[in-house]
């Protein structure tokens, strides 16, 4: 049973999406194999190599932990991370944040134009953005919302025009950089897109609630 357990844990580790979880299961598998080699097989060669496997994986986990501890965020980046990037490691979130830039937007700045390609995805830290369709205001994006996420997710033209309504602070990233990230590191891109999808869902629920209240 112990011998089977060591292989079972190794197989399960291959199913893990998190590298840390994979390493932990490999360590557990190796520990079971060490017990099996020591108690039942009396195999010093197996014990040596399984012990080395445990040591290497522990060192790698410690290394990743140290890298995570050294990552620093500004207060505005911390707010962004906590609300939308928590599923990413701090290291991966830092990489994503470095691909964009923080901007102080003035009232009247156009972020997206209806029926035109969306060049940037925007995360609104503070302020307000009006959403216009055919020149008519149909909605508002506020603190914590994304602007342009629907078109970025669908790779479609902008469904509306987004205009900064008051002095605002926001983070923006070029759409082509997000597309390149999808190719280079789909795990980071998919985690980020999950955050975009959650924000879009919240906005749809909010719009429906407003319509119900108006009715």
């Amino acid at each position: 049973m112990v011998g089977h357990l060591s292989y079972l844990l190794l197989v399960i580790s291959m199913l893990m999406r998190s590298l840390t979880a994979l390493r932990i299961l490999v360590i557990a598998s190796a520990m079971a194999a060490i017990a099996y080699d020591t108690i039942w097989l009396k195999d010093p060669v197996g014990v040596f190599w399984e012990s080395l496997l445990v040591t290497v994986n522990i060192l790698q986990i410690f290394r990743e932990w140290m890298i995570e501890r050294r990552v620093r965020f500004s207060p505005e980046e911390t707010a962004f991370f906590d609300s939308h990037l928590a599923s990413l490691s701090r290291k991966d979130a830092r990489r994503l944040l470095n691909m964009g830039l923080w901007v102080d937007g003035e009232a009247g700045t156009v972020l997206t134009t209806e029926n035109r390609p969306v060049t940037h995805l925007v995360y609104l830290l503070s302020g307000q953005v009006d959403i216009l369709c055919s020149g008519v205001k149909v909605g508002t994006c506020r603190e914590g919302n994304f602007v342009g996420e629907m078109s970025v997710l669908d790779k479609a033209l902008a469904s509306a025009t987004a205009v900064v309504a008051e002095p605002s602070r926001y983070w923006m990233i070029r759409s082509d950089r997000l597309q390149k990230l999808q190719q280079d590191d789909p795990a980071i891109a998919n985690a980020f897109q999950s955050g975009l999808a959650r924000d879009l869902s919240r906005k749809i629920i909010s719009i429906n609630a407003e319509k119900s209240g108006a009715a």
Side-chain angles (χ1 to χ4, degrees):
M1 291 298 295
V2 175
H4 283 301
L5 177 62
S6 68
Y7 284 107
L8 177 62
L9 289 171
L10 189 60
V11 170
I12 294 175
S13 73
M14 297 298 105
L15 302 177
M16 295 297 103
R17 300 177 66 179
S18 164
L19 186 57
T20 299
L22 184 151
R23 293 190 187 282
I24 290 173
L25 284 172
V26 168
I27 290 171
S29 170
M31 294 295 291
I34 288 172
Y36 185 58
D37 289 341
T38 301
I39 299 172
W40 288 279
L41 297 184
K42 313 296 184 185
D43 178 12
V45 174
V47 171
F48 170 78
W49 286 108
E50 296 293 347
S51 298
L52 183 60
L53 184 61
V54 170
T55 301
V56 168
N57 278 279
I58 289 176
L59 289 175
Q60 288 294 330
I61 291 174
F62 178 73
R63 174 177 171 273
E64 289 296 320
W65 178 73
M66 290 298 295
I67 291 174
E68 287 284 296
R69 284 198 51 165
R70 286 197 292 266
V71 175
R72 294 290 181 266
F73 295 138
S74 67
E76 57 191 12
E77 289 172 337
T78 299
F80 190 10
F81 176 80
D82 291 341
S83 59
H84 295 292
L85 305 178
S87 60
L88 291 174
S89 68
R90 292 175 65 86
K91 179 185 68 174
D92 288 341
R94 177 76 272 164
R95 179 185 172 195
L96 176 63
L97 287 167
N98 287 345
M99 294 174 66
L101 71 157
W102 290 96
V103 176
D104 291 312
E106 299 179 353
T109 302
V110 177
L111 300 179
T112 68
T113 302
E114 190 174 1
N115 296 323
R116 297 285 299 277
V118 176
T119 59
H120 291 80
L121 172 72
V122 172
Y123 164 73
L124 190 61
L125 179 70
S126 63
Q128 180 175 309
V129 173
D130 289 339
I131 307 301
L132 312 173
C133 282
S134 301
V136 178
K137 181 178 175 180
V138 296
T140 302
C141 289
R142 298 181 175 86
E143 176 182 329
N145 287 152
F146 287 98
V147 178
E149 77 280 14
M150 186 181 297
S151 299
V152 168
L153 288 173
D154 295 338
K155 297 181 180 178
L157 300 178
S159 58
T161 297
V163 181
V164 177
E166 61 186 46
S168 304
R169 178 72 171 168
Y170 48 85
W171 176 84
M172 60 193 309
I173 181 172
R174 294 203 323 252
S175 300
D176 59 342
R177 285 195 170 185
L178 282 177
Q179 293 167 6
K180 187 174 187 305
L181 182 66
Q182 181 69 62
Q183 297 175 352
D184 296 344
D185 202 326
I188 297 178
N190 290 338
F192 183 46
Q193 288 178 2
S194 295
L196 296 180
R198 286 192 298 271
D199 181 67
L200 180 59
S201 176
R202 285 194 293 266
K203 282 198 286 192
I204 292 174
I205 292 172
S206 177
I207 291 171
N208 289 336
E210 289 179 3
K211 288 182 177 179
S212 298

